[in-house]
Amino acid sequence: MPRQSPDNPRRGASVIENTVAILRCFAPDRQELGVTEIAPRVGLHKSSVSRILASLEQEGIVEQAPSKRYRLGLGIIAIAGPLLADLDVRRAAYPILQSLTRATSETSALMVWDGAEAVTVEQVPSPEPVKHTSSLGSRYRTEGSASVKVFRDAGDGPDRASGPAYALNDAETSPHEVGIAAPVHDHRGEVVAAVLIAAPKFRTDATRIAELADQCVQAAERVSLRLGGSKR
C-alpha cells in the first residue's frame, strides 16, 4: 500500500493495517522513533499513532526507550517465536552456521524467501571487531544481493544441474561489503533457503572470495543433507 501524506490520511484502512504500517516503520537503522516521525511515514494523525502505540505498549509489542521515543519490545519475539521454532531449516542450519563462522571468522547467516524478499532468520556474527551483520527479520530485495540472486536463479523450480553453485555480491550493493550465498535444497531438490557469508571488502580479495565461496557451498550442502537433500 503506498504511503500517504498527513494531508491525505489512510482513509479506509483498518486498525490492523495501520498497526502493521506503524510496526514496519522500525528498521535496523531506525530502531527508535517518535510519534512525530511515524505519523508522516504512515499518513496518520499523531493522535491516531499515539493511540495505536499505547495499545502496542500494553501488549509489550513496543516499549518506550529512555529517550521517550518508541522501539520494538520483547513481546514481538513471543509472537514470532512459534514461527521461527517451526522452521526446520533454521534448526538444521544453526550448528553449521556456527562451524562456518568459526572456520571463516566472518558472519554467516541463513536466508529464506518470502516470495518477494530474502529474509534473515538466523545469524552467527563474526568475532572480528570489523564485521557485517544484520538484525533477524531484515529483508533484502536488491538485485545485487547475493541471497536475492540465489532465489531469483532458482526461479519457479530447481535446476540443480545447470544452476550456479553460489552467488556473489562483490561490493555491488555496498562498497564496503562482500556477500556470498549458496542455495539450500530440501528432499525434493527445491531451494528452500540460502547460506550467506558477509564480509568486509577490505579483507576479501579474489583469492579470499574463492575460499569463502567454497566454504559457503560446503556449508549449504551440509544443511541440505540434514533436510534430506543430496549433494550437487
Side-chain angles (χ1 to χ4, degrees):
M1 181 178 293
R3 292 281 184 266
Q4 300 184 31
S5 69
D7 297 328
N8 183 23
R10 297 163 57 93
R11 292 190 179 90
S14 69
V15 173
I16 291 176
E17 289 173 317
N18 288 333
T19 300
V20 170
I22 288 172
L23 291 174
R24 284 180 172 164
C25 288
F26 296 94
D29 60 339
R30 295 192 305 273
Q31 295 188 21
E32 294 186 7
L33 293 170
V35 172
T36 56
E37 296 169 281
I38 295 173
R41 286 182 177 275
V42 298
L44 289 172
H45 193 276
K46 288 185 290 185
S47 61
S48 298
V49 172
S50 183
R51 229 176 6 252
I52 292 173
L53 286 170
S55 296
L56 291 172
E57 187 177 16
Q58 286 183 341
E59 298 297 326
I61 306 302
V62 300
E63 61 186 22
Q64 277 195 306
S67 64
K68 301 303 181 183
R69 300 163 88 203
Y70 287 90
R71 63 190 178 195
L72 295 180
L74 294 178
I76 202 162
I77 297 177
I79 294 174
L83 170 63
L84 294 177
D86 194 45
L87 284 175
D88 289 338
V89 66
R90 182 171 176 263
R91 289 199 300 269
Y94 186 66
I96 294 172
L97 295 180
Q98 288 180 305
S99 297
L100 184 59
T101 292
R102 281 196 299 268
T104 63
S105 292
E106 301 296 356
T107 297
S108 62
L110 183 73
M111 316 294 293
V112 298
W113 187 248
D114 74 349
E117 298 170 309
V119 184
T120 305
V121 295
E122 192 55 89
Q123 179 180 246
V124 179
S126 165
E128 298 292 330
V130 178
K131 67 189 103 179
H132 284 288
T133 60
S134 63
S135 303
L136 294 187
S138 295
R139 296 171 175 269
Y140 302 89
R141 64 168 60 201
T142 308
E143 292 293 335
S145 297
S147 57
V148 173
K149 290 179 181 179
V150 165
F151 295 115
R152 297 283 191 205
D153 288 342
D156 296 325
D159 185 2
R160 302 181 62 182
S162 60
Y166 67 91
L168 173 65
N169 171 9
D170 190 1
E172 293 176 46
T173 57
S174 167
H176 308 295
E177 183 178 3
V178 169
I180 301 167
V184 172
H185 300 86
D186 66 5
H187 64 283
R188 298 162 297 184
E190 295 183 0
V191 175
V192 293
V195 171
L196 172 73
I197 294 176
K201 176 63 177 172
F202 73 85
R203 60 173 180 253
T204 47
D205 59 15
T207 300
R208 178 65 170 156
I209 287 175
E211 293 172 351
L212 292 175
D214 183 59
Q215 290 168 300
C216 186
V217 169
Q218 290 183 39
E221 288 183 343
R222 289 198 296 274
V223 178
S224 296
L225 287 172
R226 297 192 70 178
L227 294 175
S230 59
K231 291 187 177 182
R232 291 175 62 91

